[in-house]
């Protein structure tokens, strides 16, 4: 059994703005955000995975704001960011990109069936009821919260949440700090573009979807590392695809790299499946056969992929 690395922590990153950081950021253990408006309205950036973790999140939020959330932003459709949607009041608007809603309805509760191990408790699917296509601005009293879609990247329906006055950026899973990104449901080329999009904000604080908070020089260091990873991935895909090797053959022949020590290194083969899909010229809206991709990831991992949420 993997030992517990640490307890979730609510960290104030600007007045009235908190990051809820859950160590160790591995499968289904994500970060969320809490934004309190000048009028005491409440906005949450994502929920989390299990019922127990979601109830702990909401108890922590209640320590800084007693209001029911006016909005919950889903940065994308994956279960560790959306499985708590059903627990907020019906008056709360769930907000996300239009493709986030589409993918969430298509996925249902599949993540809880693939990543077994945790006691997920009661789960219900509650998709965004308010969607947008490019950008959306919300006003919490005088506090401005912007949502921007970077294009297909981690998924087809990613959103980043930007607080321009505070220069705080919630990236969702466009940033895994310390782990390999997971791109099987997004786009390799789009992900590379999204990293430069994130850099363009000039944020003072970045709250990644998984892993520790990033400040100052750490932000560009992590973005540079993710660019290097994606470039490496693209080069592997191009060379392997050109000679007809399977993604697994490419990974096996490549051996160790400086990225092998990152968490969830099995994602490399899943990401290669997506890269091959793009090299084949298939539309991004066409979903991969995720069970097949997952089997390759388990093979590379050396057995079932553990989840400790």
């Amino acid at each position: 059994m993997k030992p517990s690395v640490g307890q979730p922590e609510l960290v104030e990153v600007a007045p009235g703005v908190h990051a809820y950081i859950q160590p160790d950021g591995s499968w289904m253990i994500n970060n969320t955000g809490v934004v309190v408006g000048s009028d005491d309205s409440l906005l949450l950036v994502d929920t989390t995975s299990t019922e127990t973790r979601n109830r702990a999140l909401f108890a922590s939020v209640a320590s800084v704001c007693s209001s029911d959330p006016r909005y919950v932003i889903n940065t994308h459709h994956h279960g560790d960011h959306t499985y708590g949607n059903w627990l907020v009041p019906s008056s709360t608007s769930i907000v996300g990109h239009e493709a986030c809603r589409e993918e969430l309805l298509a996925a249902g509760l599949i993540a809880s069936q693939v990543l077994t191990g945790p006691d997920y408790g009661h789960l219900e699917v509650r998709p965004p009821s308010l969607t947008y296509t490019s950008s959306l601005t919300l006003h919490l009293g005088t506090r401005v919260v912007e949502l921007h879609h970077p294009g297909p990247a981690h998924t087809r329906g990613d959103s980043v949440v930007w607080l321009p006055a505070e220069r705080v950026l919630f990236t969702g899973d466009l940033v895994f700090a310390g782990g390999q990104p997971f791109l099987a449901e997004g786009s390799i080329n789009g992900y590379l573009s999204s990293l430069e999009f994130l850099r363009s904000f000039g944020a003072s604080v970045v709250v990644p979807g998984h892993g520790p908070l990033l400040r100052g020089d750490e932000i560009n260091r992590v973005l540079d590392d993710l660019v290097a990873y994606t470039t490496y991935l693209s080069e592997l895909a191009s060379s392997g695809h050109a000679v007809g090797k399977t993604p697994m053959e490419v990974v096996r022949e490549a051996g160790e790299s400086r990225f092998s020590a990152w968490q969830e290194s099995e994602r490399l083969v899943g990401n290669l499946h997506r890269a091959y899909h793009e090299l084949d010229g298939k539309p991004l809206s066409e979903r991969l056969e995720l069970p097949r991709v997952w089997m390759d990831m388990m093979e590379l991992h050396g057995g079932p992929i553990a989840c400790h949420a």
Side-chain angles (χ1 to χ4, degrees):
M1 181 81 177
K2 185 177 180 178
S4 175
V5 178
Q7 294 300 309
E9 182 181 8
L10 192 65
V11 181
E12 189 169 42
V13 295
V17 181
H18 294 76
Y20 186 73
I21 305 298
Q22 295 197 101
D24 63 349
S26 56
W27 289 106
M28 302 299 279
I29 305 177
N30 65 308
N31 301 326
T32 69
V34 182
V35 181
V36 181
S38 64
D39 56 357
D40 288 327
S41 58
L42 175 63
L43 177 150
L44 302 182
V45 181
D46 284 326
T47 58
T48 186
S49 53
T50 68
E51 184 176 355
T52 297
R53 284 186 178 271
N54 277 301
R55 294 194 183 280
L57 164 65
F58 298 141
S60 188
V61 171
S63 72
V64 295
C65 183
S66 60
S67 303
D68 287 337
R70 181 179 297 174
Y71 303 105
V72 172
I73 311 301
N74 287 160
T75 59
H76 60 290
H77 72 279
H78 287 157
D80 49 338
H81 298 258
T82 60
Y83 278 177
N85 288 357
W86 73 274
L87 281 165
V88 299
S90 59
S91 59
T92 301
S93 294
I94 310 294
V95 186
H97 187 263
E98 60 185 8
C100 173
R101 174 182 169 85
E102 178 185 328
E103 294 294 335
L104 180 51
L105 288 169
L109 301 174
I110 191 172
S112 65
Q113 298 156 17
V114 172
L115 283 160
T116 57
D119 177 1
Y120 284 95
H122 183 75
L123 296 177
E124 294 179 21
V125 174
R126 183 175 171 186
S129 55
L130 173 61
T131 61
Y132 75 100
T133 56
S134 179
S135 295
L136 176 68
T137 301
L138 302 173
H139 298 270
L140 307 181
T142 58
R143 173 159 274 161
V144 174
V145 180
E146 298 177 3
L147 280 66
H148 298 283
H149 174 55
H154 170 60
T155 69
R156 292 195 309 117
D158 297 312
S159 294
V160 300
V161 180
W162 171 236
L163 278 62
E166 297 80 7
R167 308 205 69 74
V168 174
L169 184 65
F170 295 89
T171 67
D173 286 0
L174 296 177
V175 176
F176 287 82
Q180 291 200 13
F182 185 53
L183 309 176
E185 294 180 276
S187 165
I188 309 305
N189 294 328
Y191 184 67
L192 200 55
S193 297
S194 79
L195 296 173
E196 296 313 308
F197 179 69
L198 296 180
R199 206 188 299 269
S200 72
F201 287 94
S204 297
V205 180
V206 163
V207 183
H210 296 256
L213 279 172
L214 304 175
R215 303 176 188 266
D217 292 343
E218 295 173 318
I219 296 171
N220 278 330
R221 177 185 59 78
V222 168
L223 292 177
D224 287 345
D225 280 348
L226 291 169
V227 168
Y229 172 88
T230 312
T231 302
Y232 170 72
L233 169 67
S234 295
E235 290 170 350
L236 285 182
S238 295
S239 59
H241 186 270
V243 294
K245 293 178 182 175
T246 68
M248 183 61 77
E249 288 170 340
V250 170
V251 173
R252 295 294 193 201
E253 291 179 17
E256 297 291 308
S257 74
R258 74 180 183 94
F259 310 109
S260 302
W262 292 8
Q263 285 190 157
E264 291 83 50
S265 59
E266 65 273 3
R267 290 176 178 163
L268 179 60
V269 72
N271 294 340
L272 280 168
H273 275 280
R274 171 54 66 181
Y276 271 39
H277 189 273
E278 291 183 69
L279 289 167
D280 286 338
K282 296 179 180 177
L284 294 178
S285 58
E286 182 180 309
R287 298 182 180 96
L288 295 181
E289 296 177 32
L290 284 180
R292 176 183 165 215
V293 173
W294 196 259
M295 290 298 292
D296 271 4
M297 289 171 61
M298 285 197 299
E299 182 181 337
L300 186 60
H301 183 75
I305 296 170
C307 176
H308 302 281

